[in-house]
């Protein structure tokens, strides 16, 4: 069913008909937004223009926040998957040590994959939270006397907004389970490979796809290994109550936030986020963002192979041993979460994912709960 929806969605993106449809759909959603939030049936042109301008500025604020938070997450992953410590251990040893080299292999590849996942998940978490707050802000700052102002809206306290947007706990100490799950999946697939095992670029990409399967696809019933390594819980979203580590991650960050008192404004905001995270639009956009990020990783990896090709040969080497891949993957990992988004090819690729802009509009307009019947039908 998901593949059918993906095909229909991809087909809808083609040609000028999609542009016209998008304009019509967003106008309709904007009317619904004003009607449901503010109790007004119509919105005049100035209010519509203000909402569209505010939405565009909201996406820019998402980019600014992502640029601030990614380096913090990178520092945490550097601690959890510490390639520097592995290298230092090898230097101190002073002679070949198979166990230490194997550890460096696992940590290096795990670090690169974990950075891709964290980049994608942080991008989406920030977009969800900021677009929700922006919707409330649009109501709270309505022009006095306008139809929006007449409709009224519940004002969020500044403390509620700050708590809802706070990412420091996640950036500083919230990535342990995800890092452990990535490490376990990498170990399962390459733990037994020796340093002289040779792989072509395409073979490496196939191997990464298999590792991704463990982290992104629901485990079969009774697979308790995946459950122990971060794949349990989550619920909903067509996953039969069990989600793999990557898809469960953001849901678990909600429960990790601690108890919220009944009636607290934050409770309603977190409930909306939970509904979004188990929705079909979220799973679709997560797939698209991850595909864009891993496609970029593949391009960068191919460039590394190209750089090692014999001068004038014009072809990639047939294969490289893992020992030569390790330093190159380590170099690539340093670029994935850098905060300079304009020069971060991974961030640019993820930000250009096909469904991201429409997903953000759905969140901004409060439409994710209607997505099955209206957006993906």
């Amino acid at each position: 069913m998901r593949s059918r929806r993906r095909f229909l969605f991809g087909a809808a993106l083609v040609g000028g008909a999609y542009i016209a449809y998008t304009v019509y759909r967003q106008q309709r959603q904007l009317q619904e937004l004003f009607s449901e939030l503010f109790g007004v049936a119509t919105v005049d042109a100035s209010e519509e223009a203000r909402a569209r301008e505010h939405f565009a500025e909201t996406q820019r604020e998402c980019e600014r926040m992502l640029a601030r938070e990614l380096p913090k997450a990178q520092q945490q992953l550097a601690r959890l998957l510490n390639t520097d410590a592995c290298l230092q251990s090898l230097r101190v040893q002073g002679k070949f040590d198979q166990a230490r080299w194997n550890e460096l292999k696992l940590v290096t590849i795990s670090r690169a994959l974990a950075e891709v996942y964290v980049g994608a998940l942080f991008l989406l978490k920030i977009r969800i939270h900021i677009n929700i707050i922006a919707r409330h802000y649009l109501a709270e700052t309505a022009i006095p006397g306008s139809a929006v102002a007449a409709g009224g809206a519940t004002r969020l306290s500044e403390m509620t907004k700050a708590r809802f947007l706070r990412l420091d706990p996640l950036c500083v100490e919230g990535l342990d389970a995800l890092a452990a799950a990535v490490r376990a999946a990498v170990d399962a697939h390459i733990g037994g490979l020796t340093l002289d095992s040779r792989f072509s670029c395409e073979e490496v990409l196939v191997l990464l796809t298999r590792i991704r399967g463990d982290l992104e696809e629901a485990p079969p019933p009774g697979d308790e290994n995946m459950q122990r390594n971060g794949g349990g819980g989550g619920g909903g979203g067509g996953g039969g109550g069990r989600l793999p580590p990557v898809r469960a991650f953001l849901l678990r960050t909600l429960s990790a936030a601690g108890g919220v008192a009944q009636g607290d404004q934050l409770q309603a905001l977190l409930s909306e986020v939970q509904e979004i995270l188990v929705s079909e639009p979220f799973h679709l956009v997560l797939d698209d963002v991850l595909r864009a990020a891993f496609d970029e990783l593949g391009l960068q990896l191919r460039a590394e192979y190209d750089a090692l090709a014999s001068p004038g040969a014009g072809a990639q080497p047939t294969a490289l041993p893992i020992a030569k891949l390790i330093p190159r993957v380590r170099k690539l990992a340093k670029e994935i979460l850098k905060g300079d988004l304009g020069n971060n090819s991974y961030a640019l690729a993820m930000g250009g994912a096909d469904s991201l802009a429409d997903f953000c509009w759905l969140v901004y307009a409060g439409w994710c709960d209607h997505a099955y019947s209206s957006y993906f039908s």
Side-chain angles (χ1 to χ4, degrees), residues 58-67 126-127 130-131:
T58 295
Q59 309 323 303
R60 290 190 285 271
E61 177 55 33
C62 291
E63 299 262 331
R64 290 189 286 269
M65 186 173 184
L66 184 65
I126 287 170
R127 296 268 181 158
I130 290 185
N131 276 289

Side-chain angles (χ1 to χ4, degrees), residues 145-343:
S146 68
V148 175
T154 302
R155 181 175 293 273
L156 295 176
S157 71
E158 293 303 313
M159 180 176 291
T160 296
K161 294 175 185 176
R163 291 165 66 196
F164 187 60
L165 294 176
R166 186 168 177 250
L167 283 180
D168 280 352
L170 181 60
C171 291
V172 173
E173 58 186 17
L175 302 178
D176 305 60
L178 182 63
V182 173
R183 167 66 188 261
V186 170
D187 194 5
H189 286 272
I190 70 169
L193 297 177
T194 60
L195 293 173
D196 58 357
S197 299
R198 302 178 69 87
F199 288 87
S200 68
C201 184
E202 293 305 320
E203 288 170 336
V204 172
L205 296 179
V206 168
L207 186 58
L208 294 182
T209 299
R210 291 172 181 164
I211 296 171
R212 289 182 61 191
D214 286 358
L215 295 164
E216 299 173 37
E217 298 173 6
D223 185 349
E224 298 305 323
N225 182 59
M226 182 69 75
Q227 180 92 6
R228 286 194 300 270
N229 290 319
R242 294 181 64 199
L243 293 171
V246 171
R247 299 189 185 280
F249 176 72
L250 293 183
L251 280 167
R252 299 170 108 181
T253 65
L254 297 181
S255 60
V260 179
Q262 186 71 25
D264 190 320
Q265 288 182 322
L266 185 61
Q267 184 180 47
L269 297 178
L270 294 178
S271 294
E272 181 179 355
V273 174
Q274 183 170 7
E275 291 177 6
I276 291 170
L277 294 179
V278 297
S279 70
E280 187 73 6
F282 174 75
H283 290 300
L284 173 64
V285 75
L286 177 59
D287 287 346
D288 284 349
V289 169
L290 286 174
R291 183 184 306 108
F294 277 104
D295 283 351
E296 179 61 25
L297 181 61
L299 289 175
Q300 298 297 331
L301 188 60
R302 286 189 179 93
E304 292 296 320
Y305 270 82
D306 287 342
L308 294 173
S310 301
Q316 295 180 357
T318 302
L320 288 176
I322 289 179
K324 285 192 174 182
L325 282 172
I326 290 174
R328 288 161 178 82
V329 172
R330 184 168 177 266
K331 181 182 75 172
L332 294 180
K334 294 179 179 179
E335 300 296 311
I336 298 171
L337 295 182
K338 68 180 182 182
D340 181 6
L341 299 190
N343 291 305

Side-chain angles (χ1 to χ4, degrees), residues 11-194:
L13 287 171
V14 178
Y18 173 72
I19 297 175
Y21 169 70
T22 298
V23 172
Y24 164 74
R25 175 169 48 74
Q26 291 190 356
Q27 287 175 339
R28 185 159 57 92
Q29 290 171 351
L30 190 63
Q31 292 291 345
E32 294 247 356
L33 169 64
F34 279 90
S35 177
E36 293 183 13
L37 287 182
F38 315 130
V40 297
T42 60
V43 55
D44 64 32
S46 63
E47 290 166 347
E48 178 177 345
R50 176 173 176 266
R52 294 191 185 282
E53 180 181 348
H54 181 241
F55 173 73
E57 176 56 33
T58 295
Q59 309 323 303
R60 290 190 285 271
E61 177 55 33
C62 291
E63 299 262 331
R64 290 189 286 269
M65 186 173 184
L66 184 65
R68 293 193 300 270
E69 302 300 334
L70 285 185
K72 300 176 187 177
Q74 188 174 50
Q75 290 177 2
Q76 185 185 169
L77 287 177
R79 174 177 57 82
L80 295 172
L81 298 166
N82 195 335
T83 56
D84 289 341
C86 292
L87 285 171
Q88 181 61 26
S89 175
L90 284 168
R91 293 190 185 105
V92 170
Q93 182 71 13
K95 60 180 181 180
F96 180 79
D97 186 305
Q98 181 66 50
R100 284 184 170 86
W101 270 103
N102 191 59
E103 178 69 7
L104 177 62
K105 172 190 69 179
L106 296 176
V107 171
T108 299
I109 296 175
S110 298
R111 170 82 173 272
L113 294 182
E115 294 215 1
V116 171
Y117 284 123
V118 167
L121 292 166
F122 270 47
L123 179 149
L124 291 174
K125 182 176 180 65
I126 287 170
R127 296 268 181 158
I128 291 169
H129 284 239
I130 290 185
N131 276 289
I132 289 174
I133 290 296
R135 185 199 322 140
H136 284 269
Y137 179 83
L138 181 68
E140 294 167 4
T141 59
I143 300 171
S146 68
V148 175
T154 302
R155 181 175 293 273
L156 295 176
S157 71
E158 293 303 313
M159 180 176 291
T160 296
K161 294 175 185 176
R163 291 165 66 196
F164 187 60
L165 294 176
R166 186 168 177 250
L167 283 180
D168 280 352
L170 181 60
C171 291
V172 173
E173 58 186 17
L175 302 178
D176 305 60
L178 182 63
V182 173
R183 167 66 188 261
V186 170
D187 194 5
H189 286 272
I190 70 169
L193 297 177
T194 60

